[in-house]
Amino acid sequence: VTFHFRTQLCDDDRTVIDDSKVVGTPMEIVIGNMFKLDIWETLLSSMRIGEVAEFWCDTIHTGVYPLVSKSMRRIAEGKDPVDWHIHTCGMANMFAYHSLGYDDLDELMKEPKPLYFVLELIRVQQPSEYNRESWALSDEERLKAVPVLHGQGNKLYKQGKYQEATLKYKEAIICIKNVQTKVREIMGGPMAEAGEDGLTP
């Protein structure tokens, strides 16, 4: 599903925390793919295409929002959404360094609050109808995508399209590193090699 969202505090001013329309890029999630903020899957599944709806959500559903917002903001800034983790999972990093890098999100992390979500459902697609970005793939799909992306990068390189080739190579590396990160977490924590850079979603 593709949608715009606006997140607001439940204060007198309805303070806006995030607004995808201001950023200019709608959000896309795969229903049933264990998105961290699972309440969005429930809310979006109840909506019709073109509908705009406002939902009030209690802290039981909004506690992880700061972590999700952090990743979304980094994507909007053109950065790797989670390379700030550096060898640890998001929660461990946050407790170790006491900051997500944004004051408003740090405040929400320390004191979770109910939030308003204003959602606008733009598009619903079946799995066969779209090309998922690397963060939306399963581990098996990521590993299968690596040689394809590498081949596409080589083809672009030979055509002199160096910038586009670089993006393909980078996406392939992100796929590999994402799988490596999950393996480390399953095996009980960070086992990063010296010189390895940040982790990926």
Side-chain angles (χ1 to χ4, degrees):
V1 296
T2 305
F3 62 101
H4 275 297
F5 70 94
R6 184 170 68 249
T7 305
Q8 297 173 285
L9 294 176
C10 299
D11 56 12
D12 292 338
D13 298 324
R14 295 287 293 267
T15 303
V16 175
I17 300 172
D18 292 300
D19 189 335
S20 63
K21 286 191 174 180
V22 171
V23 173
T25 306
M27 180 74 178
E28 181 181 284
I29 63 173
V30 180
I31 300 294
N33 209 35
M34 295 186 292
F35 181 62
K36 284 181 185 174
L37 195 63
D38 57 359
I39 189 63
W40 275 7
E41 292 192 10
T42 303
L43 301 178
L44 290 162
S45 296
S46 73
M47 296 175 64
R48 294 185 297 272
I49 295 172
E51 182 180 0
V52 178
E54 178 180 284
F55 301 92
W56 177 89
C57 294
D58 204 349
T59 52
I60 191 171
H61 298 297
T62 63
V64 298
Y65 183 80
L67 294 171
V68 173
S69 176
K70 167 77 177 186
S71 293
M72 292 187 295
R73 290 182 186 188
R74 289 188 63 84
I75 290 169
E77 293 166 4
K79 299 174 182 174
D80 186 329
V82 289
D83 67 3
W84 58 286
H85 289 192
I86 309 298
H87 313 320
T88 61
C89 73
M91 290 297 287
N93 184 82
M94 193 276 296
F95 286 122
Y97 298 102
H98 310 294
S99 177
L100 293 172
Y102 298 91
D103 291 343
D104 56 343
L105 299 183
D106 287 343
E107 191 62 33
L108 262 184
M109 202 74 205
K110 290 174 192 168
E111 188 180 339
K113 298 175 182 175
L115 297 172
Y116 284 111
F117 295 122
V118 181
L119 306 178
E120 178 183 352
L121 184 57
I122 300 170
R123 185 167 60 249
V124 176
Q125 293 171 278
Q126 297 303 313
S128 59
E129 294 178 322
Y130 74 109
N131 292 319
R132 285 179 286 174
E133 301 212 18
S134 59
W135 59 265
L137 301 175
S138 69
D139 288 349
E140 186 177 349
E141 289 169 328
R142 284 190 185 98
L143 291 175
K144 287 180 180 176
V146 170
V148 175
L149 291 165
H150 184 252
Q152 291 171 343
N154 288 347
K155 187 175 179 181
L156 290 165
Y157 182 84
K158 288 175 183 175
Q159 294 172 352
K161 299 177 180 177
Y162 304 119
Q163 191 168 1
E164 293 174 42
T166 300
L167 291 174
K168 292 292 181 184
Y169 294 141
K170 183 177 179 182
E171 190 173 352
I173 291 168
I174 286 172
C175 285
I176 293 169
K177 289 167 65 180
N178 192 352
V179 175
Q180 288 175 335
T181 300
K182 286 192 176 178
V183 170
R184 288 189 187 104
E185 288 175 355
I186 290 168
M187 294 179 71
M191 297 186 303
E193 296 175 6
E196 185 177 336
D197 57 8
L199 307 181
T200 57

